[in-house]
Amino acid sequence: MLRSNDDPRALRSRAAALAAATELLVEGGPENVTHATVAKRAGIGRATVYRHWPDQQALLLDALAGDVRPLLSFDDSPVRDQLVFQAEQLAHRLNQPSAVSILATVIQRAERDEEARRLREEMFGQADEDLTRALAAAVERGELRPGTQGHARDLVARIIGPLLFERFLHGVHLEKDLVVSLVDAALAPWLPNA
Amino acid sequence: MLRSNDDPRALRSRAAALAAATELLVEGGPENVTHATVAKRAGIGRATVYRHWPDQQALLLDALAGDVRPLLSFDDSPVRDQLVFQAEQLAHRLNQPSAVSILATVIQRAERDEEARRLREEMFGQADEDLTRALAAAVERGELRPGTQGHARDLVARIIGPLLFERFLHGVHLEKDLVVSLVDAALAPWLPNA
DNA sequence: CGTCTGTGAGACAGTATGTATCGAAGAGAA
DNA sequence: TTCTCTTCGATACATACTGTCTCACAGACG
């Protein structure tokens, strides 16, 4: 279809279209992202949008993919600090007005769309493995009780879950003290002196 | 517009349309719920759908409203049992394949639609007040430490949040032992012997 | 039985969608 | 620069969809 991915003209119109698609998604929901609206907003031809994305699903998912990079990542520094930092980063991103629209769209599409499901898993899939490793290292260092490394996913759920609940279902702004309190509560059962 | 709400013919076509709308929402997402598709699925005339719901938003939200009754309610029996029971009920409802589509749609719409926001608050708004009362009663009985009643919403977030996270972002089936574990973890800081 | 009123079917104009074509202009090589 | 290739925006076009209206019909109710 297109000669290549490296033609500056193609890259330019593609980038403009994706930026426009994200804007339109946040402003009016997924059904607001059509070939016509994207073309108009991006200042490019309607046919050009069809050339890049023959169907609307692909266009929307490409736009989503640009905004949904992995949300968490861990290394081997002290676990509590990492969790607080990462959860704060995530809270900051969730506080963006666009985040709810984008995440809710991914979740909704994932029910019926394989590509969206892949995208959804990309968000937290890596986090489980990384955190498992980080927890194992922490157990070695005596920061946590043995066995903790088997509960990485559970920890993530107990920290991120309440954040999502507050943000998605109550629409509140996520504050730092909530994040800290959630991390400590989730970690409490695994502290060695317990 | 319509003479009344009690004409059996109007009630019948209205009910058929709402049932069809919910089906179509679950099958193909919100953009699949149009006057035309609903009319066809419900076996009624397209004009009839327009008569009941002049715009598509109203139709979709009416369908959602039928499926999103309050999700939690509390009385004055022992708190832990109540929380476990209510959270199990909720988990059971979230396990329905349709629940994710419906909830995600409400959340998404709530970003831009006043009516959807009202609907979203209906789900958990009452729960906070009820649980606050139930917690106060439990404190009176010595089940929980004084001050607990000020943290009803926090408790809900720490129990429901992880459930939503597991169901929405990992697509897993919610099991009873997870529910119990979440309730006990959320309650732990407020037990009197701590 | 007679009068309402909601209904389904269809007609209709206006709009949106998807595709094809065309000349213009940017990109890259000689 | 000049030449060639590719993408571009604009436009035209057929088709599908939307929203509104009309009308004959049948169910509801007295």
Side-chain angles (χ1 to χ4, degrees), chain A residues 71-137:
Chain A
L71 297 178
L72 302 170
S73 65
F74 299 96
D75 54 33
D76 281 358
S77 48
V79 170
R80 182 183 175 279
D81 298 343
Q82 277 192 80
L83 284 171
V84 169
F85 179 74
Q86 291 292 328
E88 267 176 17
Q89 294 276 101
L90 177 59
H92 183 257
R93 290 188 61 180
L94 290 180
N95 279 334
Q96 310 297 319
S98 61
V100 175
S101 291
I102 291 170
L103 254 185
T105 301
V106 172
I107 290 170
Q108 192 180 66
R109 301 278 152 156
E111 283 296 292
R112 286 171 294 278
D113 186 296
E114 174 60 35
E115 181 86 4
R117 214 169 303 137
R118 202 184 50 69
L119 209 55
R120 185 185 68 176
E121 279 156 21
E122 234 172 52
M123 294 191 284
F124 295 100
Q126 193 62 30
D128 288 347
E129 301 173 32
D130 289 356
L131 182 55
T132 299
R133 253 194 307 279
L135 290 176

Side-chain angles (χ1 to χ4, degrees), chain B residues 2-3 9-10 13 44-46 48 51-52:
Chain B
L2 297 179
R3 174 181 59 168
R9 294 169 294 174
S13 44
I44 65 182
R46 196 161 58 93
T48 301
R51 275 191 281 264
H52 283 278

Side-chain angles (χ1 to χ4, degrees), chain B residues 13-187:
Chain B
S13 44
R14 184 183 160 84
L18 288 176
T22 299
E23 286 180 25
L24 291 163
L25 167 67
V26 172
E27 291 172 19
E31 69 276 14
N32 195 33
V33 182
T34 69
H35 290 92
T37 57
V38 167
K40 190 174 180 184
R41 173 68 64 98
I44 65 182
R46 196 161 58 93
T48 301
V49 186
Y50 278 99
R51 275 191 281 264
H52 283 278
W53 299 277
D55 69 293
Q56 193 254 1
Q57 276 296 314
L59 167 57
L60 180 60
L61 284 172
D62 256 15
L64 290 170
D67 296 303
V68 179
R69 293 146 303 186
L71 296 178
L72 301 171
S73 66
F74 298 97
D75 54 34
D76 281 358
S77 48
V79 171
R80 182 184 174 276
D81 298 343
Q82 277 193 79
L83 283 171
V84 169
F85 179 74
Q86 291 292 329
E88 266 175 17
Q89 294 275 101
L90 177 60
H92 183 257
R93 290 188 61 178
L94 290 179
N95 278 335
Q96 310 298 318
S98 60
V100 175
S101 292
I102 292 170
L103 255 185
T105 301
V106 172
I107 291 170
Q108 193 180 64
R109 301 279 152 157
E111 283 295 292
R112 284 172 294 279
D113 186 295
E114 175 58 37
E115 181 86 4
R117 214 169 303 137
R118 203 184 50 68
L119 209 56
R120 184 185 69 177
E121 278 157 21
E122 233 171 52
M123 294 191 284
F124 295 101
Q126 193 62 30
D128 288 348
E129 300 174 32
D130 289 356
L131 182 55
T132 299
R133 252 192 308 278
L135 290 176
V139 168
E140 287 294 318
R141 292 192 302 268
E143 288 180 30
L144 298 171
R145 295 163 64 178
T148 309
Q149 68 276 6
H151 295 76
R153 186 158 147 179
D154 215 49
L155 268 178
V156 172
R158 286 170 198 234
I159 297 169
I160 310 306
L163 293 177
L164 289 177
F165 181 84
E166 289 290 350
R167 183 78 180 103
F168 276 50
L169 269 53
H170 285 297
V172 305
H173 187 89
L174 303 173
E175 303 292 347
K176 172 163 181 171
D177 54 357
L178 172 61
V179 172
V180 172
S181 145
L182 286 171
V183 169
D184 285 332
L187 236 31

Side-chain angles (χ1 to χ4, degrees), chain A residues 10-20 53:
Chain A
L11 292 177
R12 219 177 308 138
S13 44
R14 185 183 158 85
L18 287 177
W53 299 275

Side-chain angles (χ1 to χ4, degrees), chain A residues 2-3 9-10 13 44-45 48 51:
Chain A
L2 297 178
R3 175 180 58 169
R9 293 169 295 174
S13 44
I44 65 182
T48 301
R51 274 190 281 264

